[in-house]
Amino acid sequence: MSAPLRPRPAGPSGPAASWDSAVPGARATSRLLTVGVVGAGRVGAVLGAALAAAGHPVVAVSGSSGASRARLALLLPEVPRRPVAAVAHAAADLLLIAVPDDRLAGVVADLAQRGALRPGQIVAHTSGAHGLAVLGPAVAAGARPLALHPAMTFTGTPDDLARLDGISYGVTAPAELRPLAARLVADLGGVPEWVAESDRPLYHAALAHGANHLVTLVNEATDRLRDAGVSRPEKVLAPLLRAALENALRLGDDALTGPVSRGDAGTVRRHLARLAATAPESVPAYLALARRTADRAIAAGRLRPVDAQSLLGVLADSGREVAA
């Protein structure tokens, strides 16, 4: 069942009462931000709906694909769809740009060239990989830059709104814009994590490595269980993976278990042999993760170097076979 779209409880003076005092030059006529959203993908549509639920008027959104129109019908049914430049013109206070990383620079440059941005307007993007530099053309037009990345995976449905409570946002902002950024994140129900401009790629790499590659890893395990004759692999994996994730978050490398952390070279050799016969495409990923697991187990004192020698030999031999 989808989470209901409802406004967040307002503070003593309304949901965004501190905008005027926190932001020099903010409009004196309104304590809420007039928002436009460029990009009705999973992130843009959900964050637009969350801002609207917090009381900020979302006045225009761009998105022309069938999937975008379907998302908007669910999440922002009253908001008119407009061309990108028209959305920027309508966004009197905050323009939220939620487009793929590699398209972001082009969208910002095009808006600046068209004269669609104005002095004092906040131009924010949701890319984890980019910081403020990509917003250079907007700054040259007098806009104020903000990088605002939600550390969450999205489906693009109303169910996502319930997941926003308490999540972290990787925020990069000029010093004078930090109070506004903190309030905006609070209105979204989140917590700011301040990330330096130079650290944005590393921040995003960590999240992609942890979340995106986790999906691939889980699906690889699911496929291999099916190959082994397990009819409902998700039933087998769910309790195991939940426990492993909770233990890893709580205990770090002390949560390591299994044949690599024990130095069981024979078991790992049999794994690799059967994988090579059944699903050779899985062997390189298994090898890479097993080697990194061994390194971490040794560094953490979970695996003695002397006990790791045979295991590391198996991994090295198999790696040479894959390379050949």
Side-chain angles (χ1 to χ4, degrees), residues 194-221:
W194 304 102
V195 180
E197 177 80 10
S198 60
D199 288 334
R200 295 291 292 199
L202 182 59
Y203 157 82
H204 194 240
L207 296 184
H209 192 36
N212 305 149
H213 296 170
L214 176 63
V215 173
T216 301
L217 182 61
V218 171
N219 286 329
E220 282 277 298

Side-chain angles (χ1 to χ4, degrees), residues 137-165:
V139 174
R144 294 177 291 171
L146 179 60
L148 188 75
H149 175 257
M152 177 49 62
T153 183
F154 290 83
T155 62
T157 68
D159 292 334
D160 289 337
L161 294 170
R163 299 188 183 103
L164 295 181
D165 282 330

Side-chain angles (χ1 to χ4, degrees), residues 6-309:
R6 58 181 182 273
R8 298 184 184 280
S13 303
S18 65
W19 291 115
D20 295 351
S21 59
V23 185
R27 295 190 308 160
T29 56
S30 174
R31 292 180 181 272
L32 298 173
L33 295 178
T34 298
V35 180
V37 180
V38 171
R42 297 180 181 187
V43 176
V46 170
L47 291 189
L51 288 168
H56 300 287
V58 179
V59 295
V61 61
S62 73
S64 56
S65 71
S68 293
R69 290 195 298 271
R71 276 189 288 269
L72 292 176
L74 280 173
L75 291 160
L76 293 166
E78 306 299 323
V79 179
R81 285 190 302 113
R82 296 286 185 265
V84 171
V87 173
H89 281 296
D93 299 309
L94 171 63
L95 178 65
L96 186 68
I97 304 177
V99 299
D101 295 343
D102 288 351
R103 286 185 51 206
L104 180 57
V107 169
V108 174
D110 183 65
L111 287 171
Q113 290 168 4
R114 290 169 175 259
L117 306 176
R118 65 177 64 82
Q121 183 182 34
I122 303 157
V123 177
H125 70 72
T126 61
S127 167
H130 289 288
L132 302 183
V134 73
L135 297 173
V139 174
R144 294 177 291 171
L146 179 60
L148 188 75
H149 175 257
M152 177 49 62
T153 183
F154 290 83
T155 62
T157 68
D159 292 334
D160 289 337
L161 294 170
R163 299 188 183 103
L164 295 181
D165 282 330
I167 72 167
S168 295
Y169 286 75
V171 183
T172 305
E176 67 275 11
L177 211 57
R178 279 196 170 202
L180 184 149
R183 181 63 200 231
L184 184 60
V185 169
D187 280 355
L188 290 167
V191 178
E193 188 69 39
W194 304 102
V195 180
E197 177 80 10
S198 60
D199 288 334
R200 295 291 292 199
L202 182 59
Y203 157 82
H204 194 240
L207 296 184
H209 192 36
N212 305 149
H213 296 170
L214 176 63
V215 173
T216 301
L217 182 61
V218 171
N219 286 329
E220 282 277 298
T222 300
D223 289 345
R224 299 296 74 80
L225 283 174
R226 288 196 184 97
D227 291 340
V230 176
S231 60
R232 294 184 59 195
E234 69 283 355
K235 184 175 182 298
V236 175
L237 286 173
L240 173 64
L241 297 185
R242 288 192 183 105
L245 178 59
E246 290 171 3
N247 289 342
L249 293 174
R250 183 167 54 91
L251 301 173
D253 285 322
D254 282 344
L256 278 174
T257 63
V260 171
S261 69
R262 295 189 298 266
D264 289 342
T267 297
V268 171
R269 183 184 293 109
R270 287 189 290 274
H271 288 179
L272 288 164
R274 187 58 189 271
L275 283 172
T278 305
E281 68 278 10
S282 290
V283 171
Y286 183 103
L287 280 171
L289 287 171
R291 179 56 202 248
R292 187 63 185 130
T293 299
D295 291 342
R296 295 191 69 99
I298 293 168
R302 304 279 295 173
L303 177 63
R304 295 188 307 167
V306 65
D307 295 330
Q309 289 180 3

